[in-house]
Structure formats: C-alpha cells, structure tokens
Amino acid sequence: MHVLITGGTGYIGSTAVEIMRNQGYEITILDDCSTGHADSVPQGVRFVQGSLLNPVEICDALADVDVVMHFAGKSLVGESVEKPDLYKRVNVDGTRNLLDEMSKVGVKKMVFSSSAATYGQPQEIPIKESAIGAPTNPYGSTKLVIDQMIGEESRRRGIAAASLRYFNVAGAMHCERGWLAERHDPETHLIPNVLRSTAIDPVKIFGNDWPTPDGTCIRDYVHVIDLIEAHIKALETLTDNHHEIYNLGSGDGFSVRQIVDAASKATGYAIPTLDSARRDGDPAILIADITKARKHLDWRPTRGIDVMISDTLESIR
Ligand code: UFG
C-alpha cells in the first residue's frame, strides 16, 4: 500500500514514516518543512518538499498513492490565539486543497490528525467522541471544521476516512538515525519544557488556580508510538462511505504538578518551576474516553507516563 504522509518531517509524522516504513508500506512525504526537519527523511522514501497551499505540489505528491495520512498543520494552542488567520489558512484551506486534489486523482481514503482541542471543556469527563464540539481556541476550531469537512466529503464522495482526536502526544522513538522527538522552536509543550528547566530559566506553570485537586491543568498523555500504532489500525479498517472519529489518549489524567513530580523522579533532582498566569485558550481538564478505539480498532496504549518522560529525557541528553 502506498501512503502519502503529509507533515512527515514533523514530530508525529516522522515517527509514522519510520514505523510504517519498517512495516513495508511504500511512503511519500509531503511537507514544506516550516516546522519539520528535512533531515528526518529516511533514505528510500520519496519526499516532495511542498505546501498544502499549492495544489500543483499536492498533485505531484499524490502520484500513485492509495491513501493519505494527513498530519500537516499548525498545532499550537497558544500560537493559534495570536494568529487565528494563519491557522485557518494552513489547516482549513490546506485540507480543502488536499481533499480537492484527492478527488481529482481518485484517492478515496484518509486518516486525519484531529485533536481533543475540538471539545473545548466538556461537562463530562472522560470525554466521549459524541461530546459536542465547543473549542476554546482557534486551533481546536480549525480541527473541528476539518472533521466536519471530511464527514461531508465522505457522504458526498464516498471516501473512507478516520479522524483521530489526539489528546497530549508525548515521548520519542529511537531509530538507526537517532531519536525522533519533539524539536519545536520555540518549544511550548509541557514535558520537554519540564525536562529542560533550570534554576536560571525554570519551567512556567500556567495557572495554579484551576478547578482541579492541585490547581494545575490536567491532561491525558499518550506515547507517540502507541499513537501511530492506532493510525495503522485505523488505516487498515477504513470503510467506504464511512467517516469514523476516535479519541486517542490513555484514559488517565495527570496534572502539570504530577508531571513535574514524575520528571523530578526520572532526573533525580527537583525540577525548578515558576508559578505563572494562566495561558489563553487552555481548558482545565482533558481526559479521553478511549472505549471506541479499544473496541473498533482493537487498540490499547501500552507505554505509560514514565516511559514518555524517560524517552523524552534520553532524546534531549
Ligand atoms: N504547560 C505549562 N507550562 C509549559 C507548557 C505547558 O504549565 O511550559 C501546561 C499548559 O498550560 C497545559 C499543559 O501544560 O495545561 C499541557 O500543555 P501543552 O502545551 O503541552 O499541550 P496542550 O494541552 O496545550 O496541547 C496539546 C497539543 C494540542 C492538542 C492538545 C489536546 O499541543 O495539539 O494537547 O489535549 F490539541
């Protein structure tokens, strides 16, 4: 099977490329490298350096492809609050272009990187896929619009699709070329920031007055390798005319302080922290109900928070 992986030079996309290449899938990558890294592309993988905003480049990348795994996009909650138009253009307009080009060349299968940010702060925790979408930031809004767009495309054109709603992806993967890990600049994600914290530049804790037991936000962390294993299961179970939505998380929640404590245990010293103001756009608690992915995809995450932290630690040492 020939898979087009958009965003295949980024943190999650490059892990998908590595795992799927090892499993014998033929792969083409489409990435503009605006946040990814061309040096992550393995030998023997076709790489089109191009943009979702350029239909000619998309069409080139789609040559002989059977299915698209669509990871490319802007993905930072904080940045999206500052630059909502950029998020709409790249995420929504870019995906529209991709779906249009897929239609022209007859590619009818897609697995999409959606997000828990589509839910906002639902009344019920853990969050089921049936929860009403009410994003608290522009990033989540773009992902919700795209999920709806793919659903419409499935009804209209019969495409087989899955939207995978990621909770907080963490951890890293070691391969022959070294570690595939988070290399964002600037880094905004909690676990890498905690592990890079120093007395001079301590990690900021965004809010200590949230309605949670210790006052810090609670998130559901899932290891990037477990996440990609779910993608492959979703890919292999795509059904014509069907668009399925699956939550991908662990089903467990950890507060920011619990992450700092677990990281202090892993490093062997107390991680310095600085209590700071809340970050715009953050919901208080996000925990996934992963029953649907367990049942329909026969998927379960096997790597816990300690593995996510130790892999990230190894990757930055
Ligand atoms: N946080 C800090 N200090 C930091 C970084 C983060 O206190 O230096 C806090 C945040 O306020 C939040 C939690 O740690 O409460 C996790 O923040 P991240 O930035 O690591 O991740 P987010 O929850 O903002 O977002 C991530 C992905 C999104 C996805 C979301 C879904 O980046 O793409 O998880 O749960 F939508």
Side-chain angles (χ1 to χ4, degrees):
M1 192 186 287
H2 187 168
V3 185
L4 172 62
I5 299 190
T6 74
T9 75
Y11 162 52
I12 301 174
S14 64
T15 307
V17 169
E18 184 62 23
I19 292 174
M20 296 184 71
R21 182 179 75 112
N22 290 340
Q23 294 189 11
Y25 289 91
E26 186 181 348
I27 290 167
T28 294
I29 295 173
L30 172 67
D31 201 314
D32 64 3
C33 293
S34 54
T35 51
H37 305 271
D39 64 8
S40 73
V41 177
Q43 279 196 337
V45 167
R46 179 166 176 256
F47 175 37
V48 177
Q49 183 153 4
S51 165
L52 291 175
L53 300 178
N54 184 333
V56 175
E57 290 168 349
I58 299 173
C59 184
D60 177 19
L62 279 169
D64 300 322
V65 159
D66 301 302
V67 53
V68 175
M69 273 200 185
H70 180 27
F71 294 94
K74 305 300 266 177
S75 63
L76 301 177
V77 170
E79 183 184 56
S80 79
V81 175
E82 285 158 28
K83 301 177 184 167
D85 293 344
L86 174 71
Y87 274 65
K88 185 196 163 287
R89 195 166 67 247
V90 174
N91 292 359
V92 178
D93 299 349
T95 305
R96 183 69 264 161
N97 291 341
L98 178 61
L99 288 166
D100 288 348
E101 293 308 307
M102 286 170 62
S103 171
K104 282 185 202 160
V105 296
V107 176
K108 294 183 78 172
K109 290 182 175 184
M110 176 185 257
V111 176
F112 171 59
S113 301
S114 186
S115 171
T118 52
Y119 295 117
Q121 182 59 81
Q123 299 298 314
E124 264 187 47
I125 299 285
I127 304 165
K128 288 192 173 62
E129 289 84 352
S130 55
I132 290 169
T136 55
N137 53 66
Y139 165 65
S141 302
T142 64
K143 291 287 180 175
L144 185 58
V145 168
I146 298 168
D147 283 348
Q148 289 161 347
M149 200 157 91
I150 294 172
E152 176 60 26
E153 196 76 2
S154 179
R155 284 187 291 277
R156 206 168 51 82
R157 210 166 67 76
I159 72 165
S163 288
L164 305 183
R165 290 190 169 161
Y166 306 170
F167 283 65
N168 287 57
V169 187
M173 179 178 173
H174 194 258
C175 69
E176 70 215 2
R177 289 164 289 121
W179 283 94
L180 299 171
E182 299 204 55
R183 282 200 277 164
H184 303 116
D185 184 21
E187 184 55 75
T188 64
H189 287 146
L190 180 65
I191 292 177
N193 281 353
V194 164
L195 292 170
R196 288 200 181 94
S197 178
T198 61
I200 294 167
D201 188 14
V203 62
K204 290 182 177 149
I205 296 190
F206 295 139
N208 56 15
D209 56 353
W210 293 95
T212 61
D214 68 14
T216 65
C217 286
I218 293 176
R219 293 288 182 273
D220 177 335
Y221 295 85
V222 58
H223 196 291
V224 64
I225 298 176
D226 285 326
L227 184 93
I228 299 307
E229 286 171 355
H231 282 67
I232 296 168
K233 286 177 180 274
L235 173 79
E236 297 295 348
T237 53
L238 288 174
T239 311
D240 289 353
N241 298 304
H242 276 76
H243 171 227
E244 292 292 344
I245 296 177
Y246 297 100
N247 285 341
L248 298 182
S250 69
D252 274 338
F254 293 88
S255 73
V256 172
R257 284 216 194 282
Q258 285 175 315
I259 296 294
V260 171
D261 290 346
S264 298
K265 212 172 102 199
T267 57
Y269 59 83
I271 305 273
T273 62
L274 178 66
D275 283 343
S276 305
R278 290 182 179 192
R279 187 173 66 179
D280 280 350
D282 271 344
I285 306 176
L286 291 174
I287 302 173
D289 182 324
I290 56 170
T291 310
K292 185 174 174 187
R294 276 180 189 271
K295 280 196 186 149
H296 292 216
L297 301 178
D298 189 26
W299 171 78
R300 57 212 62 228
T302 60
R303 298 159 183 88
I305 197 70
D306 290 341
V307 178
M308 296 179 223
I309 289 174
S310 61
D311 284 351
T312 309
L313 189 57
E314 283 300 314
S315 75
I316 60 182
R317 262 187 178 146

